[in-house]
Amino acid sequence: MVWWREAERIVDIFRSKPIGDIVIVRGWIYRLSRIGGVAFIGIRDGSGYIQVSLKRSVAPSLFEIVDKLSVEDVVAVRGVVVEDKRAPGGLEVRAQDIEVISKSSVWPITRSAVKSIGFLFDKRHLWIRSPRVRSILKIRSEVCRLIREYMDENGFVEFHSPIFVKSACEGGATLFPVEYFGNTVYLTQSAQLYQEAAIATFGRVYTLGPCFRAEKSRTRKHLTEFWQIECEIAFADLDEDMRILEELLVYVCRGVADRCREELDILGVDFKPPTPPLPRITYTEALEIARSRGSETVWGEDFSSRDESLVSSIFDKPFFVTHYPASTRSFYHMLDPHDPRLTLSFDLIAPEGYGELATGGQRISDYDTLVKRIDEQRLPRGSFSWYLELRMYGCPPHSGFGMGIERLVRWICKLPSVRMAIPFPRTPDRFEP
RNA sequence: GCCGCCGUAGCUCAGCCAGGUAGAGCAGCGGGCUGUUAACCCGUUGGUCGUCGGUUCGAAUCCGACCGGCGGCGCCA
C-alpha cells in the first residue's frame, strides 16, 4: 500500500493545529518558489491551502525531486507541522518525504490571462481551480444548500419536474427542441406547471434545478441553461407569496454572510445581507419613477433594462415591483379583482443594476378564466389540456415564484456576469467545455 | 434578431494611420540565490500575424468575404 493512501485534509490541519505532529497531505501544487537552498511548495487539496517548506541542507535527496516539480503536479508530502509566522496562515509542513503522484503539463492560465475572459472560458475546465472561481462556486453551493434548508424547514417538499416537456410554459418563449423517438419534445423552461399539479399532493412544493431558454440573448444576465428555485404554495395569495420569497432571500443572504466569510474575502466582496422588510412598489409607481428620470416607456409596456436601473438606483436592497399590467405577463397570472388591467404578480429586483432576481405571483384557479386568457394570448388550448384539467378537480387559490440561482449568486458576489456564477456556462455562442 | 469593437508567440499587448522580410513583458527552458507570498538577477527557446481571396514589385499593415471572440439593446430567471 502506498504511504499516502491516507492523508489529512488541509482544512483539518488548520482547525486542529497539530503542532509537532507528522502529517501526510496530498494535492495539487498551486505555487512553487525556490530560493537557493530553500523551497516552498503551496499545496491545494480542495479543502484548503498549505505551504510545505524544505531545506537543501536538511534533505539533499528530496531537494532533487523538488527541483523537477512544476505547478499543478499532484504530490503527497509527509512532514512535521510547525508554526511559522512567515508562512501563509501561520502554519507549514516541513517535508520529510515527497512523492509525485501525477505530473502536470505547463499551466496555461498565467497572470496575464485574467484579462482575457474568452480565453478563461475556453479553459474553464482548468480555470475552476483558481481561488476566485472556487470561492464563487462554493458560495453557489451554499446558496443551494441554504435554499433547501429554508424550504425544508417551512413545510415544502422537494418535487422533481420533467426536463423533457411537450409544450411551452409560456407563450412565445423559445424552447430547445429535442428529437424523442420520432416525436419532438422540448427542454423545460420552468417547473411551475408541474408544481401546480403537485400542490394538491403536498400543499407546498419546490424545485431546484436546470431550465433552458433558446433565446439568443447576448447579455450579462442570460444563460441558455440556468438554474432556478421555483416553488408553488397552495392557498397563498400575492402577499403570502412575497413574504415567503422575502424570508427565503434574507435567510440565504444571512447564511452566506455567515458561512462564506473566507470566500467573500477572497472575492474582495463586502456583502451585507439585506434587512427586512424589502421595499414594495407597484408597477405604476415604478414607471413614474423611471419616467421622471428620463424614461420614455409608456404604461402597459414592460420595463427596459435602463428603466430597471433607473428605479433600482433609489434602493440599497432588493425590492418588489408588484401589479404588472396583464399585457406584460403570461397567461396564467391572476388578474387583480380591483383592476382587471393588472395582475397579482411581482418581480424582485436587485439594487445596483444587477436586475431581476425573481418573478412570481398568484395563478388563475378558475377553469373558464384560464381558457379565456389562453385564447386571448392566442396559445394552443390543446397544449395545456392537462394543466387546464387541474382546474376541474379542486383548485384553491395558489401562488409561486421562481428565482434565478446565477442571478442571485452574481448579485451576492458582485460578478460582472451570470456566466461567472455557474461552473460551465451555456450561452448561444458557448457550449464547450 | 439588431448594433458596435477586437483577432500578431502558451497569455497580455506594441507594430497597422503614412506597405519594405516580426518586437516587448509574463509563462517555459538553462544558470544563480537558505524564507518565498505576483520573489528577484543573468541568459535563452518560441510566431502559417484568425481564414480565404483581391490590390501591389512587395501585405501583419490597404480592400472584400467568411470564421471566432467580446460588449450593448431587445427578450427574460
Side-chain angles (χ1 to χ4, degrees):
Chain A
M1 193 197 279
V2 295
W3 59 265
W4 42 264
R5 181 79 181 272
E6 305 279 332
E8 295 289 320
R9 282 167 50 102
I10 289 169
V11 67
D12 294 330
I13 293 174
F14 278 95
R15 273 191 200 132
S16 60
K17 297 193 182 0
I19 310 300
D21 287 2
I22 290 181
V23 296
I24 294 169
V25 296
R26 56 188 177 192
W28 293 258
I29 296 177
Y30 71 94
R31 187 164 66 202
L32 258 184
S33 70
R34 277 159 295 204
I35 291 135
V38 189
F40 302 95
I41 309 165
I43 294 181
R44 174 189 85 236
D45 73 347
S47 79
Y49 304 83
I50 197 165
Q51 174 167 288
V52 169
S53 77
L54 179 66
K55 291 190 174 161
R56 172 175 274 144
S57 55
V58 174
S61 60
L62 269 193
F63 218 84
E64 286 174 27
I65 297 175
V66 173
D67 267 331
K68 291 179 199 145
L69 291 178
S70 37
V71 168
E72 294 303 318
D73 284 351
V74 179
V75 295
V77 176
R78 176 161 45 206
V80 182
V81 178
V82 298
E83 266 183 312
D84 194 317
K85 277 177 291 201
R86 297 169 295 185
L91 285 186
E92 69 177 18
V93 173
R94 300 268 161 86
Q96 297 175 350
D97 206 354
I98 297 176
E99 184 172 321
V100 178
I101 297 170
S102 176
K103 282 295 292 176
S104 169
S105 297
V106 175
W107 187 244
I109 302 179
T110 58
R111 196 143 190 90
S112 41
V114 302
K115 288 201 264 179
S116 178
I117 202 70
F119 176 76
L120 290 171
F121 278 113
D122 287 343
K123 300 290 180 189
R124 186 65 169 173
H125 51 295
L126 304 178
W127 186 28
I128 56 173
R129 301 183 185 194
S130 76
R132 284 183 65 85
V133 178
R134 182 188 181 280
S135 297
I136 294 163
L137 297 181
K138 183 75 193 323
I139 289 170
R140 178 189 171 101
S141 164
E142 284 295 337
V143 163
C144 292
R145 197 152 77 97
L146 288 155
I147 287 170
R148 290 202 170 93
E149 268 178 28
Y150 175 87
M151 301 311 281
D152 293 343
E153 283 166 19
N154 284 276
F156 287 85
V157 173
E158 180 163 4
F159 184 81
H160 295 151
S161 71
I163 303 294
F164 292 140
V165 297
K166 188 70 190 90
S167 59
C169 298
E170 311 187 15
T174 29
L175 295 147
F176 284 108
V178 178
E179 197 280 327
Y180 193 83
F181 306 121
N183 293 304
T184 300
V185 297
Y186 303 93
L187 299 181
T188 185
Q189 56 178 207
S190 167
Q192 181 198 320
L193 271 46
Y194 294 92
Q195 292 189 326
E196 287 189 60
I199 56 167
T201 310
F202 293 115
R204 298 180 156 200
V205 293
Y206 73 98
T207 306
L208 179 52
C211 294
F212 307 87
R213 301 271 163 97
E215 292 158 352
K216 288 199 171 179
S217 304
R218 299 197 46 83
T219 78
R220 46 180 72 193
K221 43 179 105 163
H222 289 87
L223 296 164
T224 52
E225 176 182 329
F226 64 98
W227 282 55
Q228 56 179 348
I229 165 66
E230 291 179 278
C231 74
E232 201 64 30
I233 315 156
F235 307 106
D237 60 10
L238 182 65
D239 278 341
E240 172 78 350
D241 197 26
M242 288 193 286
R243 186 186 66 74
I244 287 175
L245 174 55
E246 177 174 313
E247 264 188 30
L248 169 68
L249 182 74
V250 170
Y251 182 85
V252 169
C253 290
R254 284 181 179 158
V256 168
D258 194 40
R259 297 182 195 175
C260 302
R261 284 162 210 254
E262 204 177 305
E263 285 77 16
L264 291 166
D265 203 47
I266 286 170
L267 295 171
V269 172
D270 179 27
F271 176 63
K272 298 259 190 294
T275 48
L278 302 180
R280 298 178 183 194
I281 58 173
T282 65
Y283 164 90
T284 305
E285 289 164 346
L287 185 71
E288 277 166 22
I289 293 167
R291 287 185 62 87
S292 73
R293 293 172 179 232
S295 170
E296 306 269 306
T297 304
V298 299
W299 199 96
E301 290 177 345
D302 211 344
F303 294 121
S304 68
S305 55
R306 179 164 167 266
D307 295 334
E308 225 170 61
S309 294
L310 289 173
V311 178
S312 77
S313 63
I314 67 171
F315 296 105
D316 60 357
K317 54 186 171 186
F319 60 98
F320 289 99
V321 178
T322 68
H323 299 88
Y324 281 80
S327 51
T328 69
R329 305 303 269 205
S330 357
F331 70 93
Y332 52 75
H333 278 93
M334 181 84 128
L335 298 178
D336 186 348
H338 304 295
D339 184 347
R341 296 175 308 156
L342 303 176
T343 55
L344 298 179
S345 63
F346 67 84
D347 280 358
L348 179 71
I349 298 172
E352 303 148 55
Y354 285 94
E356 192 179 315
L357 294 177
T359 186
Q362 189 169 338
R363 326 301 190 188
I364 295 172
S365 297
D366 177 66
Y367 186 96
D368 294 331
T369 313
L370 188 58
V371 169
K372 189 164 158 252
R373 288 287 288 157
I374 287 174
D375 290 348
E376 277 171 9
Q377 301 211 0
R378 295 177 188 203
L379 297 168
R381 221 190 265 190
S383 299
F384 300 99
S385 52
W386 70 261
Y387 182 68
L388 277 164
E389 201 172 270
L390 297 176
R391 274 73 190 164
M392 295 167 59
Y393 296 94
C395 189
H398 61 287
S399 304
F401 60 80
M403 179 159 62
I405 301 299
E406 292 77 21
R407 290 184 174 182
L408 178 57
V409 172
R410 180 192 172 209
W411 171 64
I412 291 172
C413 296
K414 306 292 176 260
L415 303 174
S417 163
V418 288
R419 285 177 301 160
M420 304 280 296
I422 186 168
F424 292 94
R426 296 292 182 254
T427 65
D429 298 321
R430 188 177 285 283
F431 38 87
E432 199 190 15

